[in-house]
Amino acid sequence: MARLHVYVHELRTLVGKERISRVGAGYRAHVAADELDLFLFERYRLPARAEATEGRHADAAARLRTATGLWRAPAPS
């Protein structure tokens, strides 16, 4: 457990102490929606779905390519 505290301390030094807080026995990361690729992905996916429903498949495909380009790791399965 001590090693975890060291890692969190180092992370807080890198990102700012206000970005990671202690909550009970754990930690909470404070991030804005536009900092998380999941929320950014949803900003593209939802309009793409509407475009596809309206028959605007090329627009939907372009928007989905942009959305999938946001992922920094393999997409969850």
Side-chain angles (χ1 to χ4, degrees):
M1 194 60 123
R3 184 171 285 186
L4 174 63
H5 294 299
V6 170
Y7 289 145
V8 171
H9 173 75
E10 291 173 4
L11 184 59
R12 290 180 79 199
T13 300
L14 289 171
V15 301
K17 291 182 180 185
E18 71 283 352
R19 302 292 305 257
I20 301 174
S21 61
R22 189 84 188 253
V23 179
Y27 296 94
R28 176 175 293 144
H30 302 276
V31 295
D34 63 352
E35 295 177 294
L36 292 175
D37 54 4
L38 173 64
F39 292 125
L40 293 172
F41 178 84
E42 288 296 305
R43 287 186 187 171
Y44 288 100
R45 186 189 68 81
L46 295 174
R49 186 176 203 177
E51 290 168 344
T53 301
E54 295 166 1
R56 298 170 43 211
H57 301 289
D59 293 334
R63 195 177 298 268
L64 287 172
R65 276 191 295 277
T66 300
T68 57
L70 296 170
W71 289 103
R72 297 179 186 100
S77 56

